Amino acid sequence: MFLIALGTGAFLFKIELINILKNAVHLAEKNLNPSVSKIPNLPGENSRTSSPVDVRNYISAGDRILFASTATPDKQAGVSAIATKDFKTAVNKLEAALKVDRTDPETLIYLNNARLGTAQALKIAAVVPIGDNLSAAAEILRGIAQAQDEAIKAGVPLKVVIADDGNDENRAQAIAQSLIADSSILAVVGHGTSKTSIAVAPIYSQNQMVAIAPTSTSIELATVPRRPDGVNYFFRTIPSDQFTGTALARYMLNGMKKSTAAVFYNSKSSYSKSLQTAFSTTLILEGGQVVKEVDLSEPNSTAHLDGIEADVWVLFPDSDTVNSSLEIARNNQKGLPMIGGDALYNTDLLKQGGAALSGTIISVPWHFADTKNQNFALLARDLWGIDVNWRTAMSYDAVQVLRVGRSIGKIAPSSGQAGRVMLAKALAAEDFKVSGATGEIRFLSSGDRNSNVVLVQIVPNTQSGAGYDFVPISRF
């Protein structure tokens, strides 16, 4: 399998790229109302007044269903029982619901919460974009649910609160304030996208709440302002876009033997923009050329593509513009090779237009068929009945990081603010490391992870429900 390793030096070599990105959001002022949170203004938005956001319907430890499409009668009965603290009934009903749909992570999380009942337990929050990207949210939660299930079976009581930020910055900030105000919550796994993570990272940092983003890759997150004491509170188990962009540029030059690229991206997305910046800078520095840049946020951006003279089309959409990539692929009349970012790792996209995307090469941080930790991949398949993807593995590892950090800091349940501070110091220690589903996890001083990326290709597969699948490519 083809694996690209990028060390700390590669990350730091182009860290100056960050300077061309917008400044990180200002530190947000603290608001301790757990139900209704006031959102601070972002830079350049001092004239805008944000309305308070009521987050009560977006947060659940089992008393409400957030994935509306999975509300079977048994699941609904189980959730209603949790709301009245009838945990015995809740367990019976949720076990029955899980037998109907074993792929539902929300059900497993609520089931394990019900099994713990009122017993003392460590509590973490998982913030995902359910309202914006249902499949991605479920993939993230599968990793968290699996890690919770394993922790409980190992004698570590762990409760999980789920929150849906809908990939909306205002709601994400309100949820962050609400979670901070709940002293029983030790840490957060999330948020699900770079956009929302950038919006909330300063809030968590100022209020000394550890947050680990499993799927947010923007380079901009490395610039989150530190507290005056220098302690970092924002980490991520996924490599930054710097690693991904560099890997794709080098593969294009050395693996594909191509030198000119047309890049399609969304300038209004921090994720998409940082990926485009990392790729283009590496390509140019190492002998290639970007002959055309197409901003997908512009009207009619995917029209008139025939005149683009390039060896390769490079697709860097975000969740808002991912469908534009399918339109671009369908308009690829010359059959030019295409490469892209991890937003394209989307089975729904394959169902819509796998034929147009066939052959496209995508960079992802992990793949079950190219992992040294086959035990995790096998256990995940046994639990869910499906092969899990990188979002599941990265979120699983985020919980593993919290478990190890909690053990190092000897943090007891309901340890409040003191426990949060101890956890941050444990994770920021130079000798901190965790062996997870995706390999060894160490953090740079920025909270970033120094890691690898894997290149996969979209290929026909009659055994797949979409007719196409993602497979790691061979070495070149």
Side-chain angles (χ1 to χ4, degrees), residues 28-32 177 180 206-207 417:
E29 64 180 78
K30 190 174 183 180
N31 185 324
L32 295 181
Q177 296 283 14
I180 288 164
Q206 181 185 0
N207 292 280
Q417 196 64 30

Side-chain angles (χ1 to χ4, degrees), residues 366-383:
W366 180 89
H367 192 277
F368 69 88
D370 187 45
T371 177
K372 294 179 180 179
N373 189 348
Q374 284 295 327
N375 187 52
F376 164 77
L378 293 172
L379 289 174
R381 182 167 183 79
D382 184 62
L383 177 64

Side-chain angles (χ1 to χ4, degrees), residues 112-135:
N112 275 318
N113 286 350
R115 285 169 174 164
L116 291 172
T118 58
Q120 267 211 329
L122 294 164
K123 186 188 290 185
I124 65 172
V127 189
V128 290
I130 299 170
D132 177 68
N133 192 329
L134 200 65
S135 60

Side-chain angles (χ1 to χ4, degrees), residues 289-304:
Q289 183 182 4
V290 176
V291 298
K292 181 71 173 179
E293 290 184 346
V294 179
D295 186 351
L296 298 175
S297 68
E298 296 293 332
N300 302 316
S301 60
T302 58
H304 310 298

